[in-house]
Amino acid sequence: MEKFKLVAVSGSLRKASYNTALLHSIIELGRDRFDVSVESIELPLFNDDLIDPDEPEDVVAFKRSVREADGFLVVTPEYNHSIPGVLKNAIDWLSLEPGSPLGGKPVMIAGASPGILGTARCQIHLRQVFATNKANVLPGNEIFITHCKEKIGTEGLKDEKSIAQIEKVLSEYYNWIEFWKRHAKS
């Protein structure tokens, strides 16, 4: 089985983030199918004045990583019923250029929340943003980890039902990347 190269980001900067723990659990569950590079999204605030030739090196490196990857994995909390600012800023850096690294990129979204909606509203907004950038977000197959304080511990995700759902979605995501790679060649 061919392993696909993913770039993964957490929409949370918090050290003890449930979403970062979920991200690492997803990486572990997909280790046989994916080689994953976790990238920092602590980037300068987007500013049109900084686009070429003055673009910050960390932004250039982030764009290069996403461009060279087979897929983009986003695991994020929901802030104020929407996308965390740091994540939106990173996506803005990726999207506002000709030949965006997101164009045609297979994307998988997941999130964890202590509430009952498990980042559903944020994920709806992310799908809108990615659609604007012509990214290929995995349809359906949502990963909404509700009541995350009970399901994610210091060792990562421990809820068997959630683990089974993620394994199913990772299989679908692998097939999604395979489909788009074939589609791009034809």
Side-chain angles (χ1 to χ4, degrees):
M1 173 183 283
E2 177 185 4
K3 283 181 102 172
F4 292 126
K5 180 181 173 185
L6 301 182
V7 166
V9 298
S10 172
S12 176
L13 302 180
R14 195 169 65 83
K15 285 183 177 58
S17 165
Y18 292 107
N19 283 278
T20 302
L22 175 60
L23 170 65
H24 289 289
S25 293
I26 291 170
I27 290 169
E28 181 61 25
L29 290 168
R31 71 184 177 283
D32 294 338
R33 292 172 273 198
F34 304 103
D35 286 321
V36 183
S37 170
V38 178
E39 299 289 332
S40 171
I41 56 172
E42 290 187 67
L43 303 169
L45 289 176
F46 178 79
N47 180 341
D48 273 334
D49 291 340
L50 296 179
I51 294 179
D52 295 328
D54 300 320
E55 202 162 62
E57 182 52 40
D58 49 353
V59 170
V60 172
F62 180 58
K63 285 181 176 182
R64 184 180 324 108
S65 293
V66 173
R67 185 175 282 111
E68 293 172 357
D70 297 310
F72 189 48
L73 169 61
V74 176
V75 181
T76 184
E78 179 175 290
Y79 293 167
N80 296 312
H81 300 190
S82 192
I83 306 166
V86 67
L87 177 57
K88 180 63 168 67
N89 183 62
I91 295 169
D92 287 346
W93 276 114
L94 291 172
S95 63
L96 298 172
E97 68 171 70
S100 164
L102 293 173
K105 187 71 58 186
V107 175
M108 179 176 143
I109 303 168
S113 166
I116 61 171
L117 293 179
T119 72
R121 294 169 293 208
C122 171
Q123 290 193 35
I124 291 168
H125 291 173
L126 274 172
R127 287 175 182 276
Q128 291 171 330
V129 171
F130 283 128
T132 299
N133 290 285
K134 297 180 175 73
N136 296 315
V137 179
L138 180 64
N141 297 295
E142 288 89 355
I143 298 174
F144 307 122
I145 306 300
T146 62
H147 307 289
C148 65
K149 291 179 181 181
E150 299 155 17
K151 298 176 182 175
I152 302 173
T154 55
E155 301 297 315
L157 185 63
K158 56 188 179 183
D159 179 67
E160 292 301 321
K161 186 175 176 184
S162 298
I163 289 169
Q165 171 67 11
I166 290 169
E167 287 175 335
K168 175 189 166 292
V169 173
L170 284 170
S171 179
E172 292 294 325
Y173 187 49
Y174 185 91
N175 294 338
W176 187 242
I177 293 173
E178 214 170 36
F179 170 81
W180 285 107
K181 286 182 77 86
R182 277 194 317 269
H183 181 71
K185 289 178 184 177
S186 53

